[in-house]
Amino acid sequence: MNISHLNVCTFMKHHILTAFLMLNAAFAATAQTSDYKLGQAATAFNAIDDMLQTYRPATEIPLPRELALVSLDQLLHDTDNDATEPFYAFINTRMRRVLEDLDRPVAKGLRIYKLYNDGFIVKSPKATIAIDLIPGGSDAKPFITDSVVYGIAGKCDALFISHFHADHANLNVAKSFAARGKLVIAPKDLWVGVDPLIRPLEKENQEFDVEFEELDLTLHVLPGHQGDVYNNINVVEFHNEGTVAQTGDQWGTADLVWIDRVHEKYDIDVLMPNCWVNDMKRTIQGFGPRLIITGHENELGEHSIDHREAYWMTVRKMEKMEDLNIPYVLMTWGEWYDYQK
Ligand SMILES: [Zn+2]
Ligand SMILES: [Zn+2]
């Protein structure tokens, strides 16, 4: 080994060592940044939860509540927060609250709970119906834990599903309902033969009724579409208490022709439209509800960020509906609103 070779080796060792130290420092910095951001997210999620508990859903959104919802938009549009502990803690706390509150009876009218994505639970004095309830997340790590889903299923009477897409229909949820002895009304041809209590509809793409005498309600299925996919708009008539309409993933221009006339046949109290329905104003006018509660905001799925449908976008959209003079309530996951005629 000559001197120049030794020098080169020393030179290289020095640089390898420097590179190694820099890499370590970068990892440490990343870990610190990640810890820092997790801590920040946990603090923000907690503050938002507190704020939303203080400023409950109402037809007017006070500024602190709007700020909480917009802050939630920001956290949920930062993919660094996806599948992190602060996020799970936030959504699970709110879902457990729904589970507890479902024990509280409804004396008159309807209590409407909003769950993840387009999921709703509507409770009358005599019946509790879930629509498009899904856990979200992956099967291995759902947003709503299996035990909470099982608990919710035990406190509901039935589950109705608009269409087969995974952000509306989940077999594990359906099986939980069946395991608790509860009925699941699935779209035609979905989950055929899985369980006697999971009942795919015999018809699709047409209007028809299903009577539930023991629950004192009628399900009116309206033939909506999401593009080429059949999408049942579930109109649930709780006799003497109120009628709700959940639109699933309604997006079909041709349907607007019959949607224009829904109010002539049905007396809709509460319309729960997907926040990105293709013609919000015409849809509202067609159903002619007394109250609007939008769904489907902040779906943390495979959509690009601009399609996570922020709450602030719903606020802006609904500001354009003010001339219709129909109150609307903007809710997030794990909130509820009491409606009476
Ligand atoms: Zn869909
Ligand atoms: Zn959807």
Side-chain angles (χ1 to χ4, degrees), residues 162-168 226 229 231 248-249 276 296:
S162 61
H163 66 304
F164 72 88
H165 285 163
D167 60 319
H168 298 257
Q226 179 184 14
V229 173
N231 172 63
D249 272 354
W276 44 264
H296 220 307

Side-chain angles (χ1 to χ4, degrees), residues 90-116:
F90 176 79
I91 193 162
N92 279 309
T93 299
R94 301 186 71 78
M95 293 301 112
R96 275 196 300 273
R97 238 178 247 142
V98 169
L99 178 61
E100 283 165 24
D101 196 79
L102 282 168
D103 287 332
R104 201 161 51 93
V106 175
K108 184 91 196 93
L110 304 171
R111 182 170 301 137
I112 298 162
Y113 297 86
K114 184 163 169 174
L115 291 99
Y116 175 66

Side-chain angles (χ1 to χ4, degrees), residues 20-327:
F20 178 73
L21 289 174
M22 282 172 67
L23 210 57
N24 259 356
F27 276 131
T30 306
Q32 272 176 11
T33 307
S34 159
D35 286 350
Y36 179 88
K37 282 196 77 179
L38 281 176
Q40 180 173 269
T43 306
F45 275 124
N46 282 339
I48 289 166
D49 187 64
D50 284 349
M51 189 74 92
L52 294 172
Q53 287 294 96
T54 308
Y55 296 92
R56 300 291 187 119
T59 50
E60 295 293 328
I61 308 178
L63 196 54
R65 182 174 166 82
E66 187 175 346
L67 185 58
L69 291 170
V70 171
S71 302
L72 193 51
D73 285 329
Q74 289 182 312
L75 286 170
L76 299 176
H77 281 66
D78 179 349
T79 51
D80 281 358
N81 294 322
D82 286 3
T84 58
E85 281 315 307
F87 165 75
Y88 282 108
F90 176 79
I91 193 162
N92 279 309
T93 299
R94 301 186 71 78
M95 293 301 112
R96 275 196 300 273
R97 238 178 247 142
V98 169
L99 178 61
E100 283 165 24
D101 196 79
L102 282 168
D103 287 332
R104 201 161 51 93
V106 175
K108 184 91 196 93
L110 304 171
R111 182 170 301 137
I112 298 162
Y113 297 86
K114 184 163 169 174
L115 291 99
Y116 175 66
N117 199 41
D118 209 21
F120 289 94
I121 294 174
V122 187
K123 186 175 169 76
S124 77
K126 290 184 184 163
T128 306
I129 300 299
I131 306 172
D132 285 355
L133 176 61
I134 58 155
S138 62
D139 284 351
K141 193 151 189 205
F143 295 162
I144 308 175
T145 62
D146 292 347
S147 66
V148 170
V149 169
Y150 190 76
I152 288 175
K155 294 176 185 184
C156 292
D157 295 301
L159 168 66
F160 301 158
I161 296 166
S162 61
H163 66 304
F164 72 88
H165 285 163
D167 60 319
H168 298 257
N170 180 279
L171 183 57
N172 288 340
V173 173
K175 284 179 174 172
S176 264
F177 271 71
R180 305 298 307 254
K182 310 304 170 69
L183 206 55
V184 178
I185 304 296
K188 187 174 182 285
D189 300 332
L190 185 67
W191 305 328
V192 175
V194 169
D195 188 291
L197 286 170
I198 300 176
R199 296 185 191 162
L201 291 165
E202 287 172 8
K203 306 174 205 175
E204 68 184 357
N205 201 26
Q206 56 183 289
E207 188 172 336
F208 59 93
D209 295 344
V210 187
E211 292 294 338
F212 296 85
E213 278 175 28
E214 67 284 12
L215 299 177
D216 203 15
L217 67 85
T218 308
L219 169 64
H220 307 280
V221 181
L222 309 191
H225 297 82
Q226 179 184 14
D228 295 336
V229 173
Y230 297 134
N231 172 63
N232 292 326
I233 295 179
N234 286 308
V235 175
V236 189
E237 183 183 348
F238 297 83
H239 302 153
N240 305 312
E241 304 298 342
T243 299
V244 303
Q246 195 264 19
T247 60
D249 272 354
Q250 181 57 32
W251 182 280
T253 308
D255 291 330
L256 286 166
V257 175
W258 62 260
I259 285 176
D260 284 341
R261 307 189 63 176
V262 169
H263 64 277
E264 293 173 9
K265 187 166 177 185
Y266 301 103
D267 184 21
I268 305 288
D269 289 282
V270 187
L271 175 65
M272 285 115 73
N274 40 323
C275 60
W276 44 264
V277 69
N278 57 322
D279 193 329
M280 181 65 86
K281 186 164 271 185
R282 200 166 154 189
T283 301
I284 294 170
Q285 286 173 313
F287 281 84
R290 297 182 180 84
L291 179 72
I292 302 157
I293 300 176
T294 54
H296 220 307
E297 289 95 352
N298 280 306
E299 183 197 1
L300 307 179
E302 290 151 18
H303 301 293
S304 56
I305 281 297
D306 55 321
H307 287 300
R308 283 197 174 183
E309 305 294 335
Y311 294 115
W312 65 260
M313 289 173 69
T314 298
V315 171
R316 283 196 183 172
K317 194 172 285 180
M318 297 310 285
E319 276 170 359
K320 295 186 188 130
M321 309 294 145
E322 277 170 7
D323 57 319
L324 298 178
N325 229 358
I326 300 170

